[in-house]
Amino acid sequence: MTAVDPTLRATRTTCPYCGVGCGVLATPDNSGGAAISGDPGHPANFGRLCSKGSALGETLSLEDRLLYPMIRCSKGTMERVAWSDALDHVAHRFAHIIARDGPGAVAFYLSGQLLTEDYYVANKLMKGFIGSANVDTNSRLCMASSVAGHRRAFGADTVPGCYEDLDEADLLVLVGSNAAWCHPVLFQRMLANKLERGARIVVIDPRRTDTVGDADLFLGLKPGTDTALFSGLLVQLADTGALDHDYIERHTSGFEDSLVRARSIAGGVAATALATGLSEVDVADFFQMFRNTPRVVTMYSQGVNQSAQGTDKVNAIINCHLATGRIGKPGASPFSLTGQPNAMGGREVGGLANQLAAHMAFTPPEIDRVRRFWKAPRIATHEGLKAVQLFEAIGRGEIKALWVIGTNPAVSLPDADAARAALKKLELFVISENVRSNDTVNSGAHVLLPAQGWGEKSGTVTNSERRISRQRAFLTPPGEAKPDWWIVGEVAKRLGFGAAFEFNSPADVFREHAALSAFENNGGRDFDIGALQSLSDEAFDELAPVLWPIRLGDIQPQQRFFADGGFFTNEHKARFIAPEIPALRTETTAARPLRLNTGRIRDQWHTMTRSGISPGWASICRSRSSKFIPTTR
Ligand code: SF4
């Protein structure tokens, strides 16, 4: 596979929207736009695109773009400045606040829309050299439950399966996922399996979404009762002789405790039906389907993740797969569907406040390892503040400088009014953005830095199945827009850390990222792309989509994890997790009169900054609600 399709003369790149990570062919029209089609050679989509991806060519307008660095002047207005002045100002103000109040007084807030190289440089600067772990991301809002569930069960944030499992499963269970709208190309893949191989589809969701239209069984359970359903399933598997005792014995720990807890939550079909609001017939049907189908993939998405009990829901699902040994085998795995295009890449570099780097945590040996690799004597030694706590700390005046890169927390955070009020208290508020105006920019930014957008920037993203793909540039960046990795690196140099930030290209950053993943790894960490650490610039440019891990010396990547154990816990065994007995807050009261759920719009992405530019889709959504205002890139 080459970077350019020779027949179409199109650039091979990756869609910037959801975590499916579809390959795109982009053919510039030489007037700022491009013709877009699906890349038949990309293993995520084999040429298919959904409505959002197909309309990408209509979203390349420069109308609202931020083209030049701007700083708020003494009169309160934003004034254009030279890049060198903007970077000097940001570095000077950060240095002043760090010297006065310590590294805990500053923070970065990143985005699952960033490229891995952008994430890597920002994470390295804050954790390695400023010495604070106050780096969090909007991926916290969509993927944190899955990350925590994976780490509790597997000892690492590992997705055990791959997309081929969706082709090879006989039963596809979707929990809290409207895949027909939110992961449309993957859903088409599931439907092809249903059509060609007779796979059955079960949808578990309080809402009757479009996905339900193709389901063999729909379980419209009460909100917040997924843990009860999967606890009941674990009990049923145990009581009907469906456990894989050999797998449990050899590769797991904690099974008995989790089964006792499951019995106390939902000790049978009738109890499960009562807890979930489902009929006993439907519950029994689902239990029987799962029990009798070795090749089962259970996919979960925002309906599971965005919940006060999200982590327990993830583990209740994983428990059922561990108990039956249905993990990491063709057509059999639990499977987290990622929301954003590079939520996985952000997790790889450690772009969350409770991760250090490259799937290493804040344990003394791992801090020491990363410190030596980065040559970073001031490395952060404990976790930082996660998204919500971080903005609360801004509100209390404890964090005085914030750099937001490629996201719009003034809209997307819970309790957005409080977030907006907090932003106004900042002593230094820097934003790297594509657009001149959005809710966060309008919340009192002091410095605006113009970042390159999709089609202009170059680097890598990782999709839901651990597949790293290249996003390639095919347009000339407008105005003075720069790559995010470059902007952060320039500030790092001005802070005095130049030797550690001598990156001249995204390939430079990627090579270091790959080398860190392999550093003193020896199979002890799941994330290892050591085979890619010596790619030449040309090889990086031509890099074909590749799954991780691909370790030094590997010819082929490893496709799946855990079929034969090999977990990343200390004892190399998976842990069954006994979920908390769910506190059912599903009934409304006078004090809590509303029952809220989350959902997405089929033809739009986030708050429509890019997708809303497409004339057809924007008008459709405006007619649905006047509140859909383009806001994030
Ligand atoms: S939005 Fe998702 S499913 Fe649609 S084309 Fe882009 S990556 Fe593929």
Side-chain angles (χ1 to χ4, degrees):
M1 180 181 276
T2 55
V4 175
D5 183 297
T7 48
L8 295 169
R9 301 185 61 72
T11 299
R12 287 200 150 95
T13 185
T14 310
C15 176
Y17 292 128
C18 84
V20 178
C22 293
V24 167
L25 294 176
T27 312
D29 60 11
N30 297 322
S31 56
I36 299 294
S37 60
D39 182 353
H42 197 292
N45 59 317
F46 298 108
R48 294 192 190 101
L49 292 179
C50 74
S51 58
K52 294 184 282 286
S54 302
L56 273 167
E58 300 168 18
T59 67
L60 301 172
S61 152
L62 301 181
E63 203 174 319
D64 295 315
R65 284 293 296 270
L66 176 66
L67 298 175
Y68 308 102
M70 305 187 89
I71 294 180
R72 189 172 298 281
C73 71
S74 53
K75 289 183 231 152
T77 53
M78 298 301 285
E79 307 248 314
R80 178 179 171 179
V81 296
W83 260 114
S84 56
D85 291 341
L87 295 166
D88 286 348
H89 179 76
V90 171
H92 173 75
R93 298 291 298 135
F94 261 98
H96 172 73
I97 291 168
I98 293 165
R100 189 191 63 201
D101 301 315
V106 301
F108 292 168
Y109 191 64
L110 311 178
S111 165
Q113 310 277 294
L114 294 178
L115 302 179
T116 300
E117 292 72 19
D118 305 326
Y119 252 121
Y120 180 85
V121 176
N123 191 57
K124 181 179 180 182
L125 172 57
M126 183 57 87
K127 290 185 185 148
F129 290 84
I130 290 176
S132 162
N134 288 341
V135 183
D136 219 50
T137 159
N138 62 16
S139 298
R140 167 78 55 200
L141 308 180
C142 62
M143 296 312 300
S145 299
S146 283
V147 173
H150 292 161
R151 290 173 76 183
R152 289 203 305 190
F154 308 146
D157 177 20
T158 315
V159 172
C162 57
Y163 288 169
E164 282 183 19
D165 295 327
L166 310 185
D167 308 329
E168 298 180 27
D170 297 316
L171 180 63
L172 295 155
V173 182
L174 285 154
V175 194
S177 163
N178 182 11
W181 281 23
C182 303
H183 297 91
V185 167
L186 273 192
F187 190 60
Q188 289 301 316
R189 211 160 157 164
M190 296 175 217
L191 292 183
N193 184 357
K194 179 181 169 85
L195 199 67
E196 292 158 18
R197 295 181 60 259
R200 288 168 300 169
I201 296 176
V202 176
V203 176
I204 299 168
D205 198 321
R207 301 182 308 149
R208 183 176 278 278
T209 64
D210 270 17
T211 306
V212 175
D214 294 289
D216 296 271
L217 177 64
F218 168 52
L219 301 181
L221 77 186
K222 286 195 286 192
T225 61
D226 312 77
T227 299
L229 181 65
F230 283 89
S231 294
L233 176 58
L234 186 66
V235 170
Q236 183 76 358
L237 294 167
D239 290 350
T240 59
L243 300 177
D244 184 336
H245 291 287
D246 182 54
Y247 192 91
I248 293 171
E249 177 65 28
R250 288 197 298 138
H251 300 308
T252 72
S253 63
F255 173 71
E256 289 303 333
D257 286 348
S258 70
L259 183 59
V260 168
R261 179 65 55 79
R263 282 194 195 286
S264 71
I265 294 171
V269 169
T272 307
L274 191 64
T276 57
L278 297 168
S279 74
E280 290 189 28
V281 172
D282 281 351
V283 170
D285 264 7
F286 171 55
F287 285 0
Q288 194 178 28
M289 279 183 180
F290 193 103
R291 181 197 184 284
N292 295 339
T293 315
R295 285 182 175 235
V296 54
V297 176
T298 306
M299 289 156 281
Y300 41 96
S301 191
Q302 306 318 335
V304 166
N305 289 326
Q306 291 178 331
S307 159
Q309 303 90 26
T311 308
D312 273 352
K313 291 181 182 183
V314 169
N315 285 113
I317 292 168
I318 290 173
N319 283 351
C320 294
H321 280 267
L322 290 173
T324 49
R326 296 169 183 171
I327 184 164
K329 295 175 179 160
S333 245
F335 202 117
S336 155
L337 295 176
T338 311
Q340 299 191 79
N342 201 28
M344 180 82 84
R347 289 147 68 185
E348 288 162 10
V349 308
L352 289 163
N354 55 339
Q355 298 178 356
L356 179 53
H359 281 209
M360 285 178 271
F362 285 94
T363 63
E366 293 185 316
I367 293 167
D368 178 59
R369 185 179 299 128
V370 180
R371 174 195 285 126
R372 285 183 286 111
F373 182 87
W374 278 345
K375 300 184 179 57
R378 292 166 60 176
I379 194 167
T381 53
H382 55 270
E383 296 183 2
L385 296 170
K386 299 169 188 168
V388 171
Q389 291 96 341
L390 193 149
F391 279 80
E392 288 171 351
I394 295 170
R396 292 193 299 271
E398 293 162 12
I399 289 180
K400 298 183 169 63
L402 176 70
W403 190 347
V404 172
I405 308 182
T407 184
N408 191 11
V411 168
S412 52
L413 279 171
D415 201 353
D417 287 346
R420 279 192 288 270
L423 290 172
K424 292 201 181 347
K425 297 186 179 173
L426 284 164
E427 203 174 313
L428 175 64
F429 182 15
V430 182
I431 302 180
S432 300
E433 247 306 337
N434 285 170
V435 294
R436 284 193 307 249
S437 171
N438 69 23
D439 309 71
T440 303
V441 170
N442 300 338
S443 295
H446 301 132
V447 183
L448 296 178
L449 303 173
Q452 292 177 358
W454 182 77
E456 299 151 10
K457 58 186 181 178
S458 175
T460 57
V461 290
T462 309
N463 71 4
S464 295
E465 64 163 345
R466 293 175 276 106
R467 190 176 296 280
I468 298 170
S469 295
R470 288 280 282 105
Q471 259 195 31
R472 296 184 175 93
F474 57 89
L475 296 171
T476 306
E480 296 180 1
K482 298 283 189 189
D484 287 300
W485 64 263
W486 180 89
I487 301 170
V488 177
E490 288 300 307
V491 170
K493 288 173 189 168
R494 284 162 171 80
L495 286 168
F497 310 127
F501 290 86
E502 288 298 335
F503 302 117
N504 293 311
S505 66
D508 273 352
V509 182
F510 183 83
R511 282 187 285 265
E512 184 176 305
H513 166 56
L516 176 56
S517 78
F519 184 60
E520 299 178 356
N521 191 326
N522 305 318
R525 306 195 298 275
D526 60 340
F527 179 65
D528 186 341
I529 54 171
L532 308 178
Q533 66 184 318
S534 301
L535 289 182
S536 65
D537 287 359
E538 293 72 26
F540 178 72
D541 200 38
E542 298 289 320
L543 181 66
V546 58
L547 287 175
W548 65 257
I550 178 160
R551 301 181 176 90
L552 196 59
D554 285 354
I555 311 249
Q556 292 292 330
Q558 179 183 324
Q559 202 171 18
R560 298 179 177 88
F561 284 90
F562 310 142
D564 298 310
F567 292 91
F568 296 96
T569 54
N570 288 341
E571 62 279 17
H572 303 298
K573 289 187 168 189
R575 298 187 201 105
F576 281 91
I577 302 294
E580 295 297 317
I581 293 174
L584 287 179
R585 291 209 200 120
T586 56
E587 303 309 326
T588 55
T589 63
R592 295 174 180 270
L594 301 175
R595 182 186 293 134
L596 301 179
N597 222 315
T598 68
R600 272 133 287 272
I601 306 165
R602 189 190 65 183
D603 302 319
Q604 293 294 340
W605 179 250
H606 278 185
T607 45
M608 295 172 53
T609 296
R610 174 173 294 283
S611 56
I613 297 171
S614 171
W617 301 136
S619 62
I620 287 169
C621 281
R622 271 197 285 269
S623 70
R624 284 183 187 160
S625 166
S626 60
K627 291 201 169 177
F628 294 120
I629 301 163
T631 42
T632 56
R633 67 169 145 142

